[in-house]
């Protein structure tokens, strides 16, 4: 735990989390605490359990053992409580998951009006503010299919932010994008990180990890192998697994 992480109020806490898919043990007794306002970037080889870890935090995946708490409360398993939890945990996926038949602005205002009970006028005012923040406000009246992949992903970020979440989860948000669109999404995420949003980001983008993370968590074979501040991790990884991983990706 970094000094900054240690002094923050724990917002997301995983304690002894285990997860199997059939015979496959994808998360092995994982302990992780994410402090309020902390940006934690989770990296590691494919199949290491990164995305599964991310998806357990808003119960898109159930766990077999251990506990996960958000803001001091255990994750509910179903019903209205679960819907409320999902409103507190913003999620941005590889695929943008926007409603194709709704305009960009309608996509962003749907959650606040339906789940939070926000008035349409307030939701639209806030929605336009957020679209401006992610740099796509001029697209508000368009439909998702009229936007580039990078623009759609930035709309997806605005949509998650519209719920005023306590924490934002990003599961490889740039992996489906063309190379020239990746930076516009990462820039949006970097400014979000700097604004003090609590973020857990699963990504292959090491430049982003270096630039925006408070802490890098390295996973392999379903376990957290090591974690450190970015500079320490990238310049002096302790484990052989991390050294091997970094030598493969940083040499390209």
């Amino acid at each position: 735990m970094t000094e900054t992480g240690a002094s923050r109020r724990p917002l997301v806490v995983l304690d002894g989390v285990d997860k199997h898919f059939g015979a496959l043990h994808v998360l092995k007794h994982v302990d992780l605490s994410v402090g309020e306002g902390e940006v934690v970037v989770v990296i590691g080889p494919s199949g290491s359990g990164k995305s599964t870890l991310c998806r357990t935090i808003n119960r898109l995946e159930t766990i077999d053992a251990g506990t996960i708490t958000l803001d001091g409360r255990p994750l509910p398993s179903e019903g209205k409580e679960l819907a409320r939890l999902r409103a507190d945990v913003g999620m941005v996926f590889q695929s943008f998951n926007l409603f194709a038949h709704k305009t960009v602005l309608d996509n962003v205002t749907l959650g606040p009006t339906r789940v939070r009970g926000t008035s349409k006028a307030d939701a639209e005012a806030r929605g336009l503010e957020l679209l401006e923040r992610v740099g796509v406000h001029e697209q508000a009246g368009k439909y998702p299919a009229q936007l580039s992949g990078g623009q759609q992903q930035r709309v997806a970020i605005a949509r998650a932010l519209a719920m005023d979440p306590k924490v934002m989860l990003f599961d490889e948000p740039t992996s489906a994008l063309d190379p020239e669109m990746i930076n516009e999404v990462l820039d949006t995420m970097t400014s979000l990180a700097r604004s003090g949003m609590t973020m857990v980001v699963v990504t292959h983008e090491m430049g982003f990890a270096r630039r925006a993370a408070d802490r890098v968590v390295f996973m392999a074979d379903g376990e957290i192998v090591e974690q450190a501040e970015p500079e320490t991790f990238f310049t002096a990884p302790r484990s052989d697994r991390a050294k091997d991983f970094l030598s493969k990706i940083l040499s390209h």
Side-chain angles (χ1 to χ4, degrees), residues 112-166:
T113 52
R114 288 255 180 100
V115 181
R116 297 275 194 218
T118 310
S119 74
K120 193 168 176 0
D122 286 350
E124 286 189 350
R126 173 85 172 127
L128 288 167
E129 226 172 79
L130 290 168
L131 289 171
E132 181 152 12
R133 183 172 170 186
V134 301
V136 289
H137 57 288
E138 70 285 358
Q139 315 292 344
K142 292 186 180 172
Y143 290 88
Q146 297 172 280
L147 273 57
S148 72
Q151 289 171 326
Q152 288 187 60
Q153 192 59 296
R154 286 185 283 157
V155 171
I157 292 171
R159 179 183 57 182
L161 288 173
M163 296 300 285
D164 205 17
K166 292 177 178 172

Side-chain angles (χ1 to χ4, degrees), residues 19-140:
K19 170 74 181 171
H20 294 78
F21 288 126
L24 197 61
H25 199 173
V26 285
L27 294 177
K28 301 172 185 170
H29 213 71
V30 170
D31 297 326
L32 179 67
S33 180
V34 180
E36 191 172 29
E38 190 179 16
V39 178
V40 172
V41 174
V42 184
I43 64 172
S46 292
S48 57
K50 310 181 298 290
S51 286
T52 304
L53 174 80
C54 198
R55 291 166 69 88
T56 60
I57 297 172
N58 71 346
R59 278 201 73 97
L60 281 174
E61 298 288 357
T62 55
I63 59 175
D64 301 328
T67 59
I68 303 178
T69 56
L70 175 70
D71 211 1
R73 298 170 63 182
L75 298 198
S77 52
E78 56 197 13
K80 281 192 174 144
E81 283 298 309
L82 183 56
R84 231 171 264 140
L85 161 87
R86 294 227 170 106
D88 283 339
V89 181
M91 182 107 190
V92 179
F93 302 89
Q94 295 178 30
S95 53
F96 323 122
N97 295 355
L98 299 173
F99 291 112
H101 62 289
K102 292 190 177 293
T103 66
V104 163
L105 184 58
D106 285 344
N107 266 282
V108 174
T109 59
L110 190 66
T113 52
R114 288 255 180 100
V115 181
R116 297 275 194 218
T118 310
S119 74
K120 193 168 176 0
D122 286 350
E124 286 189 350
R126 173 85 172 127
L128 288 167
E129 226 172 79
L130 290 168
L131 289 171
E132 181 152 12
R133 183 172 170 186
V134 301
V136 289
H137 57 288
E138 70 285 358
Q139 315 292 344

